[in-house]
Structures are given as C-alpha cells and as structure tokens.
Amino acid sequence: MKTLTNTIASILAVTSLSGIAFAQNSEPTQTITTRSGEFTFENSFLHGIPTQESSERLFELIDYQRASQAYIWSVPLVSNYAWKKAYEKMGAEDGQITYVATHQAKLGGLTYNTSTPYALTWFNVEQQPVVISIPTDELRGAVHTMWQIGIAQMTEPGTYVIKAKGSPTPANIPKDAKVLESDTNYVFFGVRLMAKSEEQRMKDLAALKITDTSGKPLSAKGVNYPERGEDAKHPRGMAFWQILDEAIQAETVAERDRIMHDMLRPLGIEKGRPFEPTSQQRKILEQAVVMGEAMVKNIDFNKTERLPHAAYGPTGNTWEIATASTPNQDRAYGVDLDGRAAWFYEAVTNDIAMHGFENGGWGQIYLDNYRDDNGDGLNGSNHYTLTLDGKVNYADLFWTITVYNVENRAIIDNDLERADVGSNIAGTVKNAQGDYTFHFSPTKPAGVNEANWVQTREGENWFVYFRAYSPSEEFVQQKHETILPNFKRIN
C-alpha cells in the first residue's frame, strides 16, 4: 500500500489528475493533465488503459518527441551529407578536389575561415581503399568520418591509405604508407593550404594526389574551381529527413546509434527500406524539424547555460569556447549529444588541433560570440565596436575575427566581399592609444578606417569567431590581459 501511495504522489508531482468521470457508456474514466495535453484512461490512470483517442494522440506525441530528438542526434551526419551535396551542385564529383579561396567561393560553407584556401573532397572507401599523397607540411587538415569524427591529421608529408573498417589491407601500397580505417563508408578530406604565395599554393595543390591503390586518380576531371559557393547548411522541411534517410541508407549503423534507428522506424526512416512517409508521418516530421532546429539553436547560441565546459573568461563575458564537442564525440559515460549539436550546427569537422586550450596551445583556438555587453543578440541593423589591447600577443601566427550569418552560419555576403578583421588584414590600423578598435555596422561610420570595419546586413542577427592560429602561451593560459572584451553597442 505504501508503494502505491508513493507512486500516486510521484504522478501528482508532475501531472494533474482529475476526478473520476463517466463516459457515454457509463464506464468510469480519469483524465491526466500534462504539459503535453490531457489524456484519458478507462477507470483510472493507475488501473486503466488509455482510451482509443488518447492512445492515438500519445503515439503521435511519442513520434513527434522522437523526431525532434532525432534532429539533435543527426546534426553532424546531416551536415556532412548536405555539405557534400552543395559541392556536387558546385560541379564536384567523388574524389575530385575542389579548391575554394575567394570570398565568393566560400559563401555558403559553415563558418569557413577567410584567411586560407581549402582543398576538399569526399570519397567512398567501401568501394575501394583510397590513397592520399600529401606533398608538404604546408598542407594542414584531416580526414573525417561522415559523423565528422577525425580519423587522422593530414599535417605531415607522406602517403596515407584509408580503408573501410575491418577490410583487408591492400598488398600493393608503399611500405611507408600510413594505413587508416573509417567506420563510415564515405570519408571527408579537407586541408588548408598554408603557403604564403599563390604560386607555391598552386604547386602544392598540383602535387596533392587522391588515387586508388594502383595510382589511378579517383576523378579524371582535375581540380574544381567554383566561382560561387552553394548553401551548405542543414536543409529545412522534409529535405532534412530526405538527406538523413540518404545517409542512413549509405552508411553502416554504429552500435551506439541503434536505439535512435529504432526510434526513427515508426516515422518511416529505416535502413534497407524506401523513405515513403504517410501523410501522418509527414505531418509529424514537418513539425519536428522546426522544433528540432529551435532546440539546437538554443543549445548552440546559449552554450554556457547548457555546456559549462564552453565558458570563457569571468562572469559577464559573452565569449564562449566554440569547439563545444570533444573530437571523438564522447563525454564521460555518454555521447556528447548537446556539445556536438552545438558545434556542428554552426561548423564542420573537429579534431584535437582545433582545441588549443586543451591541447596545450598546438593548432588553433576558436571562440564565438553572439551577444553585446547587454546580453542582446548582435543585430546587423546596429553599430558595434570591439577594442582589443594592441600590446597583447594573442597568436604567434595571426588572429582573425570573422562575421557569419545566423541563418546559414556562413560568411556574411556583403558589398565589401570581406567578412573579417584581424592582424592579417592589410591596412588595419591602431588607434591613438595603440589598441585595435573594430567596427561592425551596415554602413561605415564616418572617419573609420575601412580595414577596421565589417559591413553587416540590416534585419539579421550575426555572430563571430575569433581564431588564434598558433595561439600564444599567455592566451592559452587565459591571463587577464588576454581575455577578450565584450562587444559594445553604439547608440
């Protein structure tokens, strides 16, 4: 009896139980009131079953909640497949290197840096092992699974062989080749070209080879040079679920993802079966994709409320550590579900080189900021300033502050065709006190040096990344003088 009393008390703590009522057939019923609505049970909640009408609504609620959570779960995978599709629209095929260097070519890519050119491609290692020849240490990047988990760094010259997990190692490969395995069938390859001159970058690009084990290039088309980038954000509406289904059909099922596959099955997304949703499934999916994105935007743009490891600086500082997910997407005893959703909603790829605070300062540090000193979102209709101490060494190589649109998390498309300010921007000047003052506004304020200004778009929120390439020791240690200040709105 004590157990029953405790159970009823627990139910009353989260729901409201109405008194016993009588249906038209004079059978008693009881209705519970929850934050998701009212549900009626024959006899009583404890001693009865849901009525037919409540049963149907409960199943609909289950599917809606699971679809909303599936959005959060699938953010890294859908992002990579959407990215791959964007490059197909830009003229690339599997195994063909695409070179993106200009502001126009980088439009649409999630939080690209604007300082270095990229060489990118995707290929399928289920079909055959792939050989990558890296000619110089001035190519810096990595290969990733389609879940955007790093397989290996591509920072040292040499030959790399990527094969499907568990497949035999080819006999006809160089003896000094590094053999790597992928647990997804498709693999993403991306490097930054760090040589200072365009001439040397073109030589490095020409020497970069992606072939089969016999030395035959995966693509006979040569390098792809798109003039303008395609939008690579997570699609909205049913297109999101169509890409997720395509990814599920193409990839192996990881052990840790089995429960989510089971949750997707009643929604019409199941490996080995065509995605042909009923009208009811479509209705639920169309609603859930909106809720899923709303949830992820909240996790992303309010990271320190949910992810304390993303906190940066003292209380009241609006900057956050952008790389909120661990490189292997595990955290403690679970999957880094919210961390990876926050990172891969706004960015692509993740490896230890991108975690300068944690790896001792090797590689890069990424900070993001979405708000001004009042805690309000950065609005393209307003004028903001950011002043950095000109005497502080934030990075031994260089540092940049890049502006991105919230809507597609890509570099801002403005008349300037420049989205950033920083130590590497030609023409940047210091003020009379020897500090850097940068301006962000839809029109250039009078008397402001153009290289110290980024043009924003009215009626749109924007955010920034602060990137430190080869961060300085004092910046890594977060010494007081290196803490970035908040944006100030100019009234």
PDB file of all heavy atoms in Angstrom, residues 237-246 249 264-265 267-270 272-278 281-282 285:
ATOM      1  N   GLY A 237      12.540  21.681 -43.567  1.00  0.00           N
ATOM      2  CA  GLY A 237      11.414  20.941 -44.108  1.00  0.00           C
ATOM      3  C   GLY A 237      11.746  19.477 -44.328  1.00  0.00           C
ATOM      4  O   GLY A 237      12.659  18.919 -43.719  1.00  0.00           O
ATOM      5  N   MET A 238      11.016  18.844 -45.240  1.00  0.00           N
ATOM      6  CA  MET A 238      11.209  17.417 -45.499  1.00  0.00           C
ATOM      7  C   MET A 238      12.577  17.112 -46.086  1.00  0.00           C
ATOM      8  O   MET A 238      13.054  15.976 -46.000  1.00  0.00           O
ATOM      9  CB  MET A 238      10.109  16.910 -46.433  1.00  0.00           C
ATOM     10  CG  MET A 238       8.739  16.828 -45.786  1.00  0.00           C
ATOM     11  SD  MET A 238       8.685  15.745 -44.321  1.00  0.00           S
ATOM     12  CE  MET A 238       9.008  14.142 -45.067  1.00  0.00           C
ATOM     13  N   ALA A 239      13.233  18.120 -46.664  1.00  0.00           N
ATOM     14  CA  ALA A 239      14.573  17.897 -47.230  1.00  0.00           C
ATOM     15  C   ALA A 239      15.549  17.427 -46.162  1.00  0.00           C
ATOM     16  O   ALA A 239      16.480  16.663 -46.458  1.00  0.00           O
ATOM     17  CB  ALA A 239      15.081  19.174 -47.895  1.00  0.00           C
ATOM     18  N   PHE A 240      15.370  17.870 -44.922  1.00  0.00           N
ATOM     19  CA  PHE A 240      16.243  17.411 -43.835  1.00  0.00           C
ATOM     20  C   PHE A 240      16.139  15.905 -43.673  1.00  0.00           C
ATOM     21  O   PHE A 240      17.153  15.192 -43.599  1.00  0.00           O
ATOM     22  CB  PHE A 240      15.874  18.120 -42.528  1.00  0.00           C
ATOM     23  CG  PHE A 240      16.754  17.738 -41.363  1.00  0.00           C
ATOM     24  CD1 PHE A 240      17.883  18.477 -41.067  1.00  0.00           C
ATOM     25  CD2 PHE A 240      16.464  16.630 -40.570  1.00  0.00           C
ATOM     26  CE1 PHE A 240      18.702  18.126 -39.999  1.00  0.00           C
ATOM     27  CE2 PHE A 240      17.270  16.263 -39.506  1.00  0.00           C
ATOM     28  CZ  PHE A 240      18.399  17.024 -39.222  1.00  0.00           C
ATOM     29  N   TRP A 241      14.902  15.405 -43.624  1.00  0.00           N
ATOM     30  CA  TRP A 241      14.701  13.970 -43.398  1.00  0.00           C
ATOM     31  C   TRP A 241      15.099  13.158 -44.627  1.00  0.00           C
ATOM     32  O   TRP A 241      15.566  12.012 -44.498  1.00  0.00           O
ATOM     33  CB  TRP A 241      13.245  13.708 -43.037  1.00  0.00           C
ATOM     34  CG  TRP A 241      12.806  14.521 -41.858  1.00  0.00           C
ATOM     35  CD1 TRP A 241      11.916  15.555 -41.859  1.00  0.00           C
ATOM     36  CD2 TRP A 241      13.266  14.404 -40.504  1.00  0.00           C
ATOM     37  NE1 TRP A 241      11.784  16.081 -40.596  1.00  0.00           N
ATOM     38  CE2 TRP A 241      12.599  15.387 -39.746  1.00  0.00           C
ATOM     39  CE3 TRP A 241      14.178  13.553 -39.865  1.00  0.00           C
ATOM     40  CZ2 TRP A 241      12.809  15.552 -38.382  1.00  0.00           C
ATOM     41  CZ3 TRP A 241      14.388  13.711 -38.498  1.00  0.00           C
ATOM     42  CH2 TRP A 241      13.714  14.707 -37.773  1.00  0.00           C
ATOM     43  N   GLN A 242      14.963  13.727 -45.800  1.00  0.00           N
ATOM     44  CA  GLN A 242      15.391  13.026 -47.010  1.00  0.00           C
ATOM     45  C   GLN A 242      16.899  12.834 -47.024  1.00  0.00           C
ATOM     46  O   GLN A 242      17.402  11.767 -47.397  1.00  0.00           O
ATOM     47  CB  GLN A 242      14.918  13.799 -48.243  1.00  0.00           C
ATOM     48  CG  GLN A 242      13.412  13.708 -48.462  1.00  0.00           C
ATOM     49  CD  GLN A 242      12.864  14.795 -49.353  1.00  0.00           C
ATOM     50  OE1 GLN A 242      13.565  15.722 -49.742  1.00  0.00           O
ATOM     51  NE2 GLN A 242      11.577  14.704 -49.688  1.00  0.00           N
ATOM     52  N   ILE A 243      17.639  13.854 -46.585  1.00  0.00           N
ATOM     53  CA  ILE A 243      19.098  13.708 -46.520  1.00  0.00           C
ATOM     54  C   ILE A 243      19.479  12.737 -45.411  1.00  0.00           C
ATOM     55  O   ILE A 243      20.391  11.916 -45.576  1.00  0.00           O
ATOM     56  CB  ILE A 243      19.773  15.077 -46.321  1.00  0.00           C
ATOM     57  CG1 ILE A 243      19.710  15.869 -47.625  1.00  0.00           C
ATOM     58  CG2 ILE A 243      21.227  14.913 -45.872  1.00  0.00           C
ATOM     59  CD1 ILE A 243      20.492  17.162 -47.615  1.00  0.00           C
ATOM     60  N   LEU A 244      18.780  12.808 -44.269  1.00  0.00           N
ATOM     61  CA  LEU A 244      19.073  11.848 -43.206  1.00  0.00           C
ATOM     62  C   LEU A 244      18.836  10.424 -43.691  1.00  0.00           C
ATOM     63  O   LEU A 244      19.643   9.525 -43.435  1.00  0.00           O
ATOM     64  CB  LEU A 244      18.217  12.147 -41.978  1.00  0.00           C
ATOM     65  CG  LEU A 244      18.345  11.140 -40.825  1.00  0.00           C
ATOM     66  CD1 LEU A 244      19.792  11.024 -40.349  1.00  0.00           C
ATOM     67  CD2 LEU A 244      17.420  11.517 -39.672  1.00  0.00           C
ATOM     68  N   ASP A 245      17.741  10.196 -44.407  1.00  0.00           N
ATOM     69  CA  ASP A 245      17.466   8.857 -44.929  1.00  0.00           C
ATOM     70  C   ASP A 245      18.552   8.425 -45.914  1.00  0.00           C
ATOM     71  O   ASP A 245      19.006   7.276 -45.878  1.00  0.00           O
ATOM     72  CB  ASP A 245      16.100   8.823 -45.607  1.00  0.00           C
ATOM     73  CG  ASP A 245      15.789   7.460 -46.188  1.00  0.00           C
ATOM     74  OD1 ASP A 245      15.511   6.523 -45.395  1.00  0.00           O
ATOM     75  OD2 ASP A 245      15.839   7.312 -47.421  1.00  0.00           O
ATOM     76  N   GLU A 246      18.983   9.342 -46.767  1.00  0.00           N
ATOM     77  CA  GLU A 246      20.049   9.004 -47.721  1.00  0.00           C
ATOM     78  C   GLU A 246      21.315   8.581 -46.976  1.00  0.00           C
ATOM     79  O   GLU A 246      21.983   7.611 -47.354  1.00  0.00           O
ATOM     80  CB  GLU A 246      20.347  10.221 -48.595  1.00  0.00           C
ATOM     81  CG  GLU A 246      21.483  10.002 -49.589  1.00  0.00           C
ATOM     82  CD  GLU A 246      21.821  11.255 -50.379  1.00  0.00           C
ATOM     83  OE1 GLU A 246      20.914  12.104 -50.565  1.00  0.00           O
ATOM     84  OE2 GLU A 246      22.981  11.392 -50.800  1.00  0.00           O
ATOM     85  N   GLN A 249      20.846   5.117 -45.382  1.00  0.00           N
ATOM     86  CA  GLN A 249      20.924   4.040 -46.380  1.00  0.00           C
ATOM     87  C   GLN A 249      22.367   3.794 -46.826  1.00  0.00           C
ATOM     88  O   GLN A 249      22.739   2.660 -47.140  1.00  0.00           O
ATOM     89  CB  GLN A 249      20.052   4.373 -47.595  1.00  0.00           C
ATOM     90  CG  GLN A 249      18.585   4.613 -47.292  1.00  0.00           C
ATOM     91  CD  GLN A 249      17.928   3.481 -46.523  1.00  0.00           C
ATOM     92  OE1 GLN A 249      18.270   2.315 -46.676  1.00  0.00           O
ATOM     93  NE2 GLN A 249      16.975   3.847 -45.669  1.00  0.00           N
ATOM     94  N   LEU A 264      13.410   5.971 -35.149  1.00  0.00           N
ATOM     95  CA  LEU A 264      13.070   6.520 -36.462  1.00  0.00           C
ATOM     96  C   LEU A 264      12.166   5.591 -37.280  1.00  0.00           C
ATOM     97  O   LEU A 264      11.456   6.048 -38.180  1.00  0.00           O
ATOM     98  CB  LEU A 264      14.349   6.803 -37.254  1.00  0.00           C
ATOM     99  CG  LEU A 264      15.167   8.021 -36.805  1.00  0.00           C
ATOM    100  CD1 LEU A 264      16.536   8.031 -37.470  1.00  0.00           C
ATOM    101  CD2 LEU A 264      14.417   9.314 -37.116  1.00  0.00           C
ATOM    102  N   ARG A 265      12.205   4.314 -36.970  1.00  0.00           N
ATOM    103  CA  ARG A 265      11.454   3.344 -37.777  1.00  0.00           C
ATOM    104  C   ARG A 265       9.966   3.659 -37.875  1.00  0.00           C
ATOM    105  O   ARG A 265       9.392   3.625 -38.981  1.00  0.00           O
ATOM    106  CB  ARG A 265      11.698   1.928 -37.237  1.00  0.00           C
ATOM    107  CG  ARG A 265      10.997   0.825 -38.009  1.00  0.00           C
ATOM    108  CD  ARG A 265      11.428  -0.556 -37.503  1.00  0.00           C
ATOM    109  NE  ARG A 265      11.456  -0.619 -36.067  1.00  0.00           N
ATOM    110  CZ  ARG A 265      10.370  -0.752 -35.283  1.00  0.00           C
ATOM    111  NH1 ARG A 265       9.177  -0.845 -35.843  1.00  0.00           N
ATOM    112  NH2 ARG A 265      10.487  -0.800 -33.970  1.00  0.00           N
ATOM    113  N   LEU A 267       8.616   6.365 -37.941  1.00  0.00           N
ATOM    114  CA  LEU A 267       8.478   7.601 -38.712  1.00  0.00           C
ATOM    115  C   LEU A 267       8.747   7.384 -40.194  1.00  0.00           C
ATOM    116  O   LEU A 267       8.736   8.332 -40.976  1.00  0.00           O
ATOM    117  CB  LEU A 267       9.435   8.664 -38.152  1.00  0.00           C
ATOM    118  CG  LEU A 267       9.042   9.196 -36.766  1.00  0.00           C
ATOM    119  CD1 LEU A 267      10.249   9.757 -36.041  1.00  0.00           C
ATOM    120  CD2 LEU A 267       7.951  10.237 -36.889  1.00  0.00           C
ATOM    121  N   GLY A 268       9.039   6.125 -40.577  1.00  0.00           N
ATOM    122  CA  GLY A 268       9.237   5.810 -41.990  1.00  0.00           C
ATOM    123  C   GLY A 268      10.678   5.852 -42.444  1.00  0.00           C
ATOM    124  O   GLY A 268      10.953   5.675 -43.631  1.00  0.00           O
ATOM    125  N   ILE A 269      11.623   6.104 -41.519  1.00  0.00           N
ATOM    126  CA  ILE A 269      13.047   6.135 -41.872  1.00  0.00           C
ATOM    127  C   ILE A 269      13.688   4.874 -41.315  1.00  0.00           C
ATOM    128  O   ILE A 269      13.847   4.722 -40.100  1.00  0.00           O
ATOM    129  CB  ILE A 269      13.734   7.394 -41.308  1.00  0.00           C
ATOM    130  CG1 ILE A 269      13.063   8.655 -41.851  1.00  0.00           C
ATOM    131  CG2 ILE A 269      15.225   7.397 -41.640  1.00  0.00           C
ATOM    132  CD1 ILE A 269      13.585   9.945 -41.256  1.00  0.00           C
ATOM    133  N   GLU A 270      14.045   3.956 -42.206  1.00  0.00           N
ATOM    134  CA  GLU A 270      14.571   2.665 -41.791  1.00  0.00           C
ATOM    135  C   GLU A 270      15.567   2.167 -42.822  1.00  0.00           C
ATOM    136  O   GLU A 270      15.286   2.183 -44.026  1.00  0.00           O
ATOM    137  CB  GLU A 270      13.437   1.661 -41.617  1.00  0.00           C
ATOM    138  CG  GLU A 270      13.882   0.312 -41.096  1.00  0.00           C
ATOM    139  CD  GLU A 270      12.719  -0.639 -40.868  1.00  0.00           C
ATOM    140  OE1 GLU A 270      11.563  -0.265 -41.177  1.00  0.00           O
ATOM    141  OE2 GLU A 270      12.959  -1.756 -40.384  1.00  0.00           O
ATOM    142  N   GLY A 272      17.445   0.026 -45.329  1.00  0.00           N
ATOM    143  CA  GLY A 272      17.020  -1.082 -46.161  1.00  0.00           C
ATOM    144  C   GLY A 272      15.619  -0.949 -46.709  1.00  0.00           C
ATOM    145  O   GLY A 272      15.166  -1.819 -47.460  1.00  0.00           O
ATOM    146  N   ARG A 273      14.921   0.152 -46.350  1.00  0.00           N
ATOM    147  CA  ARG A 273      13.574   0.376 -46.847  1.00  0.00           C
ATOM    148  C   ARG A 273      13.463   1.766 -47.461  1.00  0.00           C
ATOM    149  O   ARG A 273      14.094   2.712 -46.988  1.00  0.00           O
ATOM    150  CB  ARG A 273      12.542   0.243 -45.724  1.00  0.00           C
ATOM    151  CG  ARG A 273      12.391  -1.177 -45.189  1.00  0.00           C
ATOM    152  CD  ARG A 273      11.354  -1.217 -44.074  1.00  0.00           C
ATOM    153  NE  ARG A 273      11.137  -2.574 -43.587  1.00  0.00           N
ATOM    154  CZ  ARG A 273      10.263  -3.428 -44.098  1.00  0.00           C
ATOM    155  NH1 ARG A 273       9.507  -3.054 -45.123  1.00  0.00           N
ATOM    156  NH2 ARG A 273      10.133  -4.632 -43.590  1.00  0.00           N
ATOM    157  N   PRO A 274      12.658   1.923 -48.508  1.00  0.00           N
ATOM    158  CA  PRO A 274      12.492   3.249 -49.114  1.00  0.00           C
ATOM    159  C   PRO A 274      11.774   4.200 -48.163  1.00  0.00           C
ATOM    160  O   PRO A 274      10.903   3.774 -47.386  1.00  0.00           O
ATOM    161  CB  PRO A 274      11.671   2.973 -50.371  1.00  0.00           C
ATOM    162  CG  PRO A 274      10.957   1.697 -50.089  1.00  0.00           C
ATOM    163  CD  PRO A 274      11.869   0.886 -49.223  1.00  0.00           C
ATOM    164  N   PHE A 275      12.139   5.476 -48.227  1.00  0.00           N
ATOM    165  CA  PHE A 275      11.510   6.501 -47.403  1.00  0.00           C
ATOM    166  C   PHE A 275      10.274   7.021 -48.131  1.00  0.00           C
ATOM    167  O   PHE A 275      10.367   7.836 -49.047  1.00  0.00           O
ATOM    168  CB  PHE A 275      12.507   7.622 -47.136  1.00  0.00           C
ATOM    169  CG  PHE A 275      11.962   8.749 -46.300  1.00  0.00           C
ATOM    170  CD1 PHE A 275      11.177   8.505 -45.190  1.00  0.00           C
ATOM    171  CD2 PHE A 275      12.246  10.066 -46.629  1.00  0.00           C
ATOM    172  CE1 PHE A 275      10.684   9.547 -44.402  1.00  0.00           C
ATOM    173  CE2 PHE A 275      11.757  11.122 -45.861  1.00  0.00           C
ATOM    174  CZ  PHE A 275      10.974  10.860 -44.745  1.00  0.00           C
ATOM    175  N   GLU A 276       9.129   6.517 -47.723  1.00  0.00           N
ATOM    176  CA  GLU A 276       7.856   6.895 -48.339  1.00  0.00           C
ATOM    177  C   GLU A 276       6.862   7.223 -47.228  1.00  0.00           C
ATOM    178  O   GLU A 276       5.950   6.450 -46.929  1.00  0.00           O
ATOM    179  CB  GLU A 276       7.334   5.761 -49.230  1.00  0.00           C
ATOM    180  CG  GLU A 276       8.269   5.428 -50.382  1.00  0.00           C
ATOM    181  CD  GLU A 276       7.870   4.169 -51.130  1.00  0.00           C
ATOM    182  OE1 GLU A 276       7.041   3.400 -50.572  1.00  0.00           O
ATOM    183  OE2 GLU A 276       8.371   3.940 -52.245  1.00  0.00           O
ATOM    184  N   PRO A 277       7.027   8.374 -46.579  1.00  0.00           N
ATOM    185  CA  PRO A 277       6.218   8.687 -45.404  1.00  0.00           C
ATOM    186  C   PRO A 277       4.741   8.839 -45.735  1.00  0.00           C
ATOM    187  O   PRO A 277       4.372   9.352 -46.798  1.00  0.00           O
ATOM    188  CB  PRO A 277       6.809  10.010 -44.911  1.00  0.00           C
ATOM    189  CG  PRO A 277       7.452  10.618 -46.121  1.00  0.00           C
ATOM    190  CD  PRO A 277       7.971   9.457 -46.914  1.00  0.00           C
ATOM    191  N   THR A 278       3.918   8.375 -44.815  1.00  0.00           N
ATOM    192  CA  THR A 278       2.487   8.595 -44.937  1.00  0.00           C
ATOM    193  C   THR A 278       2.186  10.067 -44.658  1.00  0.00           C
ATOM    194  O   THR A 278       3.059  10.812 -44.191  1.00  0.00           O
ATOM    195  CB  THR A 278       1.721   7.723 -43.935  1.00  0.00           C
ATOM    196  OG1 THR A 278       2.067   8.159 -42.600  1.00  0.00           O
ATOM    197  CG2 THR A 278       2.086   6.252 -44.105  1.00  0.00           C
ATOM    198  N   GLN A 281       2.884  10.670 -40.989  1.00  0.00           N
ATOM    199  CA  GLN A 281       4.322  10.745 -40.712  1.00  0.00           C
ATOM    200  C   GLN A 281       4.907  12.053 -41.229  1.00  0.00           C
ATOM    201  O   GLN A 281       5.711  12.702 -40.555  1.00  0.00           O
ATOM    202  CB  GLN A 281       5.037   9.553 -41.347  1.00  0.00           C
ATOM    203  CG  GLN A 281       4.757   8.232 -40.669  1.00  0.00           C
ATOM    204  CD  GLN A 281       5.275   7.054 -41.472  1.00  0.00           C
ATOM    205  OE1 GLN A 281       5.361   7.111 -42.713  1.00  0.00           O
ATOM    206  NE2 GLN A 281       5.606   5.960 -40.788  1.00  0.00           N
ATOM    207  N   ARG A 282       4.502  12.460 -42.412  1.00  0.00           N
ATOM    208  CA  ARG A 282       4.995  13.714 -42.984  1.00  0.00           C
ATOM    209  C   ARG A 282       4.612  14.909 -42.097  1.00  0.00           C
ATOM    210  O   ARG A 282       5.425  15.802 -41.864  1.00  0.00           O
ATOM    211  CB  ARG A 282       4.433  13.897 -44.395  1.00  0.00           C
ATOM    212  CG  ARG A 282       4.847  15.196 -45.076  1.00  0.00           C
ATOM    213  CD  ARG A 282       4.253  15.274 -46.467  1.00  0.00           C
ATOM    214  NE  ARG A 282       4.926  14.341 -47.358  1.00  0.00           N
ATOM    215  CZ  ARG A 282       6.013  14.635 -48.066  1.00  0.00           C
ATOM    216  NH1 ARG A 282       6.550  15.844 -47.981  1.00  0.00           N
ATOM    217  NH2 ARG A 282       6.553  13.739 -48.851  1.00  0.00           N
ATOM    218  N   LEU A 285       6.886  14.878 -39.058  1.00  0.00           N
ATOM    219  CA  LEU A 285       8.263  15.229 -39.416  1.00  0.00           C
ATOM    220  C   LEU A 285       8.395  16.709 -39.753  1.00  0.00           C
ATOM    221  O   LEU A 285       9.397  17.347 -39.411  1.00  0.00           O
ATOM    222  CB  LEU A 285       8.729  14.361 -40.586  1.00  0.00           C
ATOM    223  CG  LEU A 285       8.931  12.880 -40.273  1.00  0.00           C
ATOM    224  CD1 LEU A 285       9.127  12.087 -41.562  1.00  0.00           C
ATOM    225  CD2 LEU A 285      10.122  12.674 -39.342  1.00  0.00           C
TER     226      LEU A 285
END
